[in-house]
Amino acid sequence: MNMKQRYQLSHRELGTSLTAADLRRLLPQIISAESYLTDCWMVDDAARNLAVHGVDLHGSIHFIHYTREGAMYLTIEFRQGDQAEVMHFIEQLAIAGDGEKELTLWPKPDHLPARTTSGVAGFLQELRMDPFKERLVVTGSAVESARECAWEGADVLLEDLYLLTEIPALLKNGGAAAAEQKTRIEQLCRIWPAVKVIAFRGRKLALDRRMYVPSPEFDCILCLHFAFDAKSEKFVIGYVDEGEI
């Protein structure tokens, strides 16, 4: 597995007999029982999911517990380089669940409902497979950082992202459409100082532009840090955070 593959996002969808409370109790026990996990710790975000962070991990390991049609399921999202650690968690949770390894935690693909990550992270994850991908790149670092955001308003965000992908054509052709969106286009084209920098396709990319999107329902605002990559001729979203208005 090369370096790029190690940091690619992956997931496992599992049926489980464990409750969310069981996971909150068992994950810290599994971490403390293994010497090679001593630099790991669990973060409990009751509103969204459980996450295991670690100094030597390639990224956070997210445990998302949910119920559908009376059955319980568990999604584990992780970087491919941490697959061995994830498999260890699955094995230990299996033993803790039923006292033996042939339990319901192991995947049964024909019975599992489809589930995607919720919130902003899930929305951005779906965009990676969208027709936007011809003009817009959503990086793994954007999805990972978006997991910490509680912001809601995907329809508003979609409108702004569509405008973003149309900016080159609007600037080239002008006309009434460009005039109507003049203020927003200027905001999206503004170059900001003190930018975040990410690794992108083997090189450093400065995220020198920002898209601020107020929530339609709450007093908070989402910020997408992005750049226009001249080499690929695409907009690259590299980091996401939020704040209060």
Side-chain angles (χ1 to χ4, degrees), residues 63-76:
F63 297 81
I64 306 165
H65 188 280
Y66 62 105
T67 302
R68 183 169 296 175
E69 296 179 356
M72 294 185 295
Y73 300 95
L74 177 66
T75 297
I76 305 178

Side-chain angles (χ1 to χ4, degrees), residues 31-216:
I31 291 171
S32 61
E34 296 292 339
S35 59
Y36 71 94
L37 295 176
T38 53
D39 290 328
C40 294
W41 63 95
M42 188 186 79
V43 175
D44 184 352
D45 182 351
R48 290 190 289 277
N49 58 57
L50 302 172
V52 172
H53 302 272
V55 175
D56 296 324
L57 295 177
H58 294 81
S60 302
I61 301 174
H62 293 263
F63 297 81
I64 306 165
H65 188 280
Y66 62 105
T67 302
R68 183 169 296 175
E69 296 179 356
M72 294 185 295
Y73 300 95
L74 177 66
T75 297
I76 305 178
E77 297 177 344
F78 59 96
R79 302 288 178 173
Q80 287 189 16
D82 299 323
Q83 185 166 317
E85 287 80 0
V86 169
M87 292 307 299
H88 178 73
F89 277 113
I90 290 175
E91 290 175 358
Q92 295 304 308
L93 288 172
I95 294 171
D98 284 356
E100 14 179 285
K101 289 193 175 182
E102 55 241 1
L103 83 171
T104 56
L105 238 176
W106 294 98
K108 298 177 180 178
D110 55 329
H111 293 105
L112 287 177
R115 183 194 188 282
T116 57
T117 306
S118 61
V120 181
F123 176 77
L124 294 178
Q125 185 78 282
E126 292 176 8
L127 281 184
R128 303 181 83 181
M129 310 298 292
D130 191 90
F132 275 174
K133 68 182 181 181
E134 299 301 324
R135 292 169 288 174
L136 181 71
V137 177
V138 179
T139 65
S141 58
V143 175
E144 190 77 16
S145 55
R147 297 183 196 282
E148 306 303 321
C149 299
W151 185 94
E152 295 180 3
D155 291 343
V156 178
L157 179 55
L158 184 62
E159 290 179 8
D160 273 358
L161 289 173
Y162 179 76
L163 173 62
L164 179 64
T165 62
E166 292 294 308
I167 284 178
L170 290 171
L171 293 178
K172 179 180 179 180
N173 301 325
E180 290 175 3
Q181 298 287 352
K182 181 176 181 294
T183 300
R184 189 56 169 157
I185 291 173
E186 289 176 349
Q187 292 172 345
L188 295 174
C189 290
R190 175 182 173 182
I191 304 299
W192 292 80
V195 300
K196 296 182 183 295
V197 178
I198 63 169
F200 179 68
R201 297 180 178 175
R203 49 197 167 87
K204 292 183 178 180
L205 181 65
L207 305 174
D208 55 5
R209 302 187 188 188
R210 299 176 191 173
M211 175 187 289
Y212 286 102
V213 188
S215 169

Side-chain angles (χ1 to χ4, degrees), residues 226-238:
F226 69 98
F228 181 75
D229 179 48
K231 188 172 182 179
S232 64
E233 297 186 340
K234 295 181 180 181
F235 289 99
V236 179
I237 300 175

